[in-house]
Amino acid sequence: MDTSWEASVTDSINAIYLLFSAYLVFVMQLGFAMLCAGSVRAKNAMNIMLTNVVDAVVGSISYYLFGFAFAFGDASNSNPFIGTNYFALKDIPSSSYDYSFFLYQWAFAIAVAGITSGSIAERTQFTAYLFFSFFLTGFVYPVVAHWLWSSNGWLSPNSDSLLFGSGAIDFAGSGVVHLVGGIAGLWGSLIEGPRVGRFDAFGNPVKMRGHNATLVVLGTFLLWFGWFGFNPGSFDKILVPYPNKIDQGNWTSVGRTAVTTTLAGSTAGIVTLFGRRILVGHWDATDVCNGVLGGFVAITSGCSVVEPWAAIVCGFWAAWVLIGLNILALKLKFDDPLEAAQLHGGCGAWGLIFTGLFAKEEFVLQAYNSGKTQVARPSGLILGGGWGLFGAQVVELLSIVVWVSLTMGPLFYALQKLGILRITADEEIAGLDISSHGGYAYEANQEENGPRFYGEYLRMQHQS
């Protein structure tokens, strides 16, 4: 009787912890909305906020119907590439998963589409968002999640057949979430091309600043807050004691993971602050916010398996990865209003490599073997762990780039050929709010002397 009661209490606390983490991750959707809204021009604020709502509502249905099954289906005929059961949550709860786990993973799935939306902001037809959001959250992302986070996945560190004797460590999704969203956004932005006026006749970049730095800062802090569910919450359970350690368990690893997350983001923010000061000659709040987020993206892979000092190293180099990629993007005339491809794609890729260099064996055992000391696992290359883990990280990086390119690239290309991806130049100049949504997000907006009301916009169209 006592054992049953104790088990029930343990299960209840673990369920509450996972649900609370899911709520924190969902708050990140509000953070994305505010960050995106502040980073675009006022005439497109309504559009970008609506796309964030669409990412959540469309992603909910697609992930319920297909996504969760593709990601975590573990029936006897499941394979290392894709799951094959739990469609529409049939047979949930099961011996493996319950509703709390589904909700937590759903919050991750809708974040991926939000990343991609930022890359193609200010020039994309609303219909296109419906197509790619459904496809990305229902199929493309779940397949990658199955590779890494299902025990059947071919890259999983929990698999019975570990790649290179290690499996790839992507604890909370530098690759699964951020690299997937970043590469999808890269293809969308490349196929659409730059916004009207982003580069002048000589190919020089023209600054298009977001209209509200306040929203950018608010969105950054909301994302920071949500990341404490994103990274520490990925332990799934908090009441897991470690053998031979009377005072340590998942609860200590959860605390350390929150610390490494904070240190990486903070370090990246500081480096970006001074790095951009040297490059552009002034202190730029929005650049620092993106730097902070770049640090968070990078540490998300190895947050649970590295020391706090290593998190500082991670954040330092994440800032330079982001700065360097932004400079390269301008030289190549690549236009990403939110820097999403550079931030989530570039810093996500660095996070995978970083984990392969700095993962500590003791922490790997805690994260993946509940602290069992009689098990040996490859760890970071720099810490003497050999090439196994590093090799698996590189394979994960390349596999994600190839998979997303082969799926999202053709989708965006098909949408473009069908004429339902990019808006017309006239609509873009007028602004998506007035041309697609019937009015601006802010009253009495007269940005660029454009029409104030939808009727005025229609009259202008008839006259032209």
Side-chain angles (χ1 to χ4, degrees):
M1 184 68 179
D2 289 342
T3 301
S4 177
W5 180 84
E6 290 176 355
S8 296
V9 171
T10 299
D11 291 342
S12 298
I13 291 175
N14 286 332
I16 291 170
Y17 175 72
L18 189 58
L19 282 171
F20 181 72
S21 297
Y23 305 151
L24 284 177
V25 177
F26 184 66
V27 167
M28 296 178 77
Q29 203 67 21
L30 175 58
F32 278 125
M34 296 299 97
L35 180 73
C36 290
S39 298
V40 301
R41 290 165 291 177
K43 63 184 180 182
N44 297 308
M46 178 83 75
N47 171 264
I48 198 69
M49 286 190 286
L50 181 57
T51 62
N52 277 271
V53 176
V54 166
D55 290 336
V57 297
V58 172
S60 297
I61 302 304
S62 64
Y63 197 69
Y64 162 74
L65 292 175
F66 315 109
F68 186 78
F70 290 149
F72 295 100
D74 59 0
S76 57
N77 61 338
S78 291
N79 58 72
F81 180 76
I82 192 170
T84 56
N85 67 324
Y86 301 141
F87 292 99
L89 296 188
K90 186 179 184 297
D91 299 325
I92 295 291
S94 70
S95 58
S96 303
Y97 308 113
D98 59 11
Y99 291 116
S100 302
F101 185 79
F102 166 79
L103 193 75
Y104 185 68
Q105 294 300 331
W106 157 78
F108 273 65
I110 61 175
V112 180
I115 294 168
T116 305
S117 298
S119 292
I120 56 177
E122 298 201 291
R123 60 203 191 276
T124 304
Q125 292 189 45
F126 185 71
T127 306
Y129 283 108
L130 302 176
F131 279 104
F132 93 76
S133 183
F134 191 90
F135 185 61
L136 186 59
T137 56
F139 179 64
V140 178
Y141 159 78
V143 168
V144 179
H146 185 80
W147 297 350
L148 274 300
W149 293 343
S150 168
S151 59
N152 296 311
W154 67 280
L155 283 169
S156 174
N158 293 314
S159 171
D160 293 332
S161 179
L162 296 172
L163 180 68
F164 302 145
S166 169
I169 292 179
D170 194 0
F171 188 72
S174 287
V176 175
V177 177
H178 297 284
L179 185 58
V180 167
I183 297 300
L186 172 69
W187 281 107
S189 188
L190 282 174
I191 290 170
E192 282 196 302
R195 290 167 289 176
V196 172
R198 182 66 178 91
F199 298 94
D200 64 21
F202 301 99
N204 299 315
V206 176
K207 189 72 173 178
M208 288 185 173
R209 295 185 65 88
H211 80 283
N212 196 322
T214 303
L215 291 179
V216 173
V217 173
L218 173 62
T220 301
F221 277 114
L222 285 170
L223 287 168
W224 191 329
F225 180 61
W227 235 292
F228 289 131
F230 208 86
N231 287 3
S234 291
F235 275 94
D236 296 342
K237 298 180 176 66
I238 192 168
L239 283 185
V240 177
Y242 296 150
N244 305 319
K245 292 183 181 292
I246 60 173
D247 60 345
Q248 290 189 35
N250 269 8
W251 55 88
T252 52
S253 294
V254 163
R256 185 184 65 248
T257 301
V259 170
T260 57
T261 301
T262 300
L263 290 175
S266 299
T267 303
I270 292 171
V271 173
T272 304
L273 176 68
F274 288 98
R276 292 295 294 171
R277 175 69 173 82
I278 294 170
L279 291 173
V280 302
H282 60 264
W283 312 99
D284 194 308
T286 56
D287 282 344
V288 173
C289 286
N290 276 345
V292 169
L293 296 178
F296 289 149
V297 168
I299 196 61
T300 295
S301 169
C303 55
S304 64
V305 296
V306 299
E307 294 273 14
W309 64 264
I312 293 177
V313 176
C314 178
F316 177 87
W317 287 108
W320 290 114
V321 167
L322 180 58
I323 290 172
L325 288 177
N326 282 334
I327 293 172
L328 180 63
L330 291 179
K331 290 186 179 297
L332 297 177
K333 300 181 180 60
F334 174 75
D335 183 22
D336 185 327
L338 272 293
E339 301 177 6
Q342 301 94 294
L343 196 162
H344 297 275
C347 294
W350 158 240
L352 296 180
I353 298 301
F354 161 79
T355 304
L357 295 174
F358 289 95
K360 184 176 180 179
E361 184 179 15
E362 177 188 357
F363 297 161
V364 174
L365 292 174
Q366 290 176 0
Y368 293 101
N369 296 92
S370 300
K372 296 176 182 176
T373 55
Q374 67 271 28
V375 180
R377 296 191 72 119
S379 54
L381 179 63
I382 287 179
L383 300 185
W387 291 92
L389 175 59
F390 184 82
Q393 300 300 106
V394 173
V395 170
E396 179 192 349
L397 194 165
L398 296 176
S399 300
I400 290 175
V401 171
V402 171
W403 168 248
V404 179
S405 297
L406 291 177
T407 50
M408 294 304 295
L411 174 66
F412 280 120
Y413 183 76
L415 292 174
Q416 181 81 325
K417 285 298 182 181
L418 292 171
I420 55 176
L421 182 61
R422 180 156 185 165
I423 58 176
T424 66
D426 286 344
E427 290 174 320
E428 187 176 338
I429 292 169
L432 278 160
D433 288 2
I434 194 68
S435 64
S436 299
H437 307 293
Y440 293 109
Y442 307 104
E443 289 295 324
N445 179 76
Q446 298 185 19
E447 185 180 28
E448 298 182 3
N449 298 316
R452 288 182 56 191
F453 304 104
Y454 188 61
E456 294 177 14
Y457 168 75
L458 290 178
R459 284 194 293 274
M460 289 177 59
Q461 290 295 98
H462 290 310
Q463 290 170 2
S464 61

